Amino acid sequence: MKKKILELLQNCQDFISGQEISEKFGVSRTAVWKAIRQLEAEGYVIEAVRNKGYRLKEEPDLLTEEQLQKYLETDWAGQHLVVFDETDSTNNQAKRLAEEGAEHGLLVLSDCQTSGKGRRGRSWDSKAGEGIFMTLLLKPDIQPGNASMLTLVMALAVRAGIEDVVGIDTQIKWPNDIVCDGKKVCGILTEMSAQIDYINYIVIGVGINVSNEIFPEEVAATATSLYLLTGVRISRAKLAAKIMAEFEKYYALYLKTQDLSGLMNEYNSHLINRGRSVRVLDPRQEYTGVAQGINQSGELLVQTEDGTAHVSSGEVSVRGVYGYV
Ligand code: BTN
């Protein structure tokens, strides 16, 4: 009954009276009232006005399989879904499931993570209800050397998903941070299990700060959330589903050439590093230069006094974007 009443309220723009609901479903007014109370306890905000009835004002941001299915419009990405209330790390979960034989396209999500991982051994702030923590499992038939480009493919998908669902223009900080107003809103962590010439599986983990209002001290100056940027609360399920649809699109283009020739121009048009002074934190020696954009292999081309450097991995700080001043 609760589910039916919820559907009715969701499809109704205006107030609907308790009498009308009870007649429609053949239940008592008390049963209607009880169902409304239950929905409120689950986080739905329902306006009740004398002589008018009930109207749904706000829905809770639930990250459930049901919600995700509602928005998923993909052929394969996320068609097999596993959703946790809590897990150590969705990347770890996806790897465990891959070892047990999970298929290409499995999407693992969790409301929170107890050991959320960032790049370079850092941790990722993963509190319940605040973010999207998800990992896509891929089993592509490509050379292991081409796998790191998939991180850039996911960055494009996240950027496009945010633009579509949230309506804001974000930039990509090479290789895989999504930034807005100079602060980081999303990070991507790709891990791979491979032999020298064969990929067993790849997991691409995406962490998006959705409704965070405060951040841990270590990242407070450099991180932001979609809520802080817009003042609007969005559905995590809707955004996660849209990113999967975008990923499918970009991934198909990547697979055609197994490099970024078909995506390079779009990536570069959103690249915050482009034309800006960058510091390359090469473990052998740090150096600075002006970033030109990526090439078809996903390397960042940096113009230095000595020529053009091809940066394939490592940290790059952009002047004016968290860190490099
Ligand atoms: C970064 O350092 O920028 C990468 C952060 C990646 C975080 C995501 S959250 C979902 C997935 N599970 C993890 O443990 N990490 C990634």
Side-chain angles (χ1 to χ4, degrees):
M1 181 48 46
K2 188 183 72 182
K3 204 170 164 213
K4 282 187 182 162
I5 294 180
L6 176 61
E7 274 167 17
L8 183 67
L9 291 171
Q10 280 169 331
N11 295 322
C12 217
Q13 304 302 315
D14 205 359
F15 284 92
I16 178 157
S17 73
Q19 183 67 31
E20 245 180 291
I21 303 175
S22 72
E23 279 169 14
K24 188 169 173 61
F25 298 123
V27 294
S28 68
R29 297 274 305 264
T30 316
V32 172
W33 182 84
K34 273 191 185 158
I36 298 279
R37 289 286 90 82
Q38 281 170 9
L39 288 169
E40 284 176 335
E42 287 171 20
Y44 293 88
V45 180
I46 297 166
E47 211 177 348
V49 175
R50 193 186 285 270
N51 296 329
K52 279 182 151 182
Y54 302 105
R55 183 168 66 175
L56 185 59
K57 262 185 90 179
E58 237 177 74
E59 301 200 31
D61 178 24
L62 300 175
L63 197 70
T64 60
E65 205 173 318
E66 202 183 0
Q67 282 291 313
L68 283 148
Q69 303 283 13
K70 190 168 123 188
Y71 294 113
L72 257 183
E73 287 177 351
T74 57
D75 290 331
W76 57 269
Q79 283 303 322
H80 181 194
L81 270 176
V82 186
V83 185
F84 295 90
D85 286 336
E86 181 181 300
T87 187
D88 54 347
S89 146
T90 54
N91 271 29
N92 291 351
Q93 272 293 353
K95 287 195 279 184
R96 285 191 285 263
L97 292 166
E99 299 289 349
E100 288 165 17
E103 293 300 318
H104 175 81
L106 165 80
L107 181 65
V108 180
L109 293 109
S110 186
D111 192 36
C112 70
Q113 303 181 114
T114 50
S115 307
K117 301 186 291 184
R119 293 174 74 213
R120 300 180 182 272
R122 297 181 192 120
S123 62
W124 186 258
D125 188 32
S126 309
K127 292 192 201 68
E130 290 197 339
I132 292 176
F133 314 116
M134 65 178 180
T135 301
L136 181 65
L137 169 66
L138 300 176
K139 293 188 166 173
D141 187 12
I142 58 170
Q143 283 304 307
N146 292 340
S148 63
M149 287 181 248
L150 288 169
T151 308
L152 283 72
V153 177
M154 183 59 90
L156 275 170
V158 173
R159 201 217 64 83
I162 292 178
E163 181 167 39
D164 186 82
V165 174
V166 190
I168 55 170
D169 188 25
T170 54
Q171 285 87 43
I172 302 170
K173 177 179 168 290
W174 184 88
N176 54 2
D177 284 359
I178 305 296
V179 300
C180 194
D181 287 354
K183 291 185 171 184
K184 177 163 169 171
V185 75
C186 165
I188 300 170
L189 176 67
T190 300
E191 299 178 77
M192 175 165 76
S193 157
Q195 291 150 37
I196 198 110
D197 57 350
Y198 179 79
I199 294 176
N200 301 322
Y201 59 83
I202 294 171
V203 295
I204 311 182
V206 178
I208 306 178
N209 303 326
V210 176
S211 57
N212 317 50
E213 294 185 38
I214 44 167
F215 286 93
E217 209 183 315
E218 322 83 79
V219 293
T222 56
T224 189
S225 71
L226 297 174
Y227 175 70
L228 290 175
L229 288 164
T230 61
V232 175
R233 304 232 176 247
I234 57 126
S235 155
R236 286 175 296 164
K238 188 174 180 182
L239 179 55
K242 182 66 190 168
I243 291 169
M244 286 302 106
E246 293 291 344
F247 184 82
E248 259 191 21
K249 196 180 77 188
Y250 290 120
Y251 183 71
L253 284 169
Y254 162 82
L255 274 191
K256 270 190 186 172
T257 51
Q258 298 196 13
D259 68 16
L260 300 173
S261 17
L263 298 171
M264 192 170 77
N265 289 347
E266 182 172 347
Y267 187 95
N268 282 333
S269 73
H270 299 299
L271 188 63
I272 197 162
N273 312 56
R274 202 175 191 191
R276 292 172 80 155
S277 175
V278 294
R279 178 181 288 158
V280 182
L281 310 176
D282 190 315
R284 287 161 300 178
Q285 198 197 358
E286 280 187 26
Y287 57 92
T288 54
V290 177
Q292 310 294 303
I294 61 160
N295 62 12
Q296 60 192 35
S297 309
E299 295 169 330
L300 185 69
L301 306 179
V302 177
Q303 191 65 50
T304 69
E305 280 175 359
D306 306 328
T308 305
H310 291 223
V311 186
S312 57
S313 66
E315 295 274 282
V316 170
S317 295
V318 186
R319 191 185 279 276
V321 180
Y322 50 90
Y324 176 30
V325 279

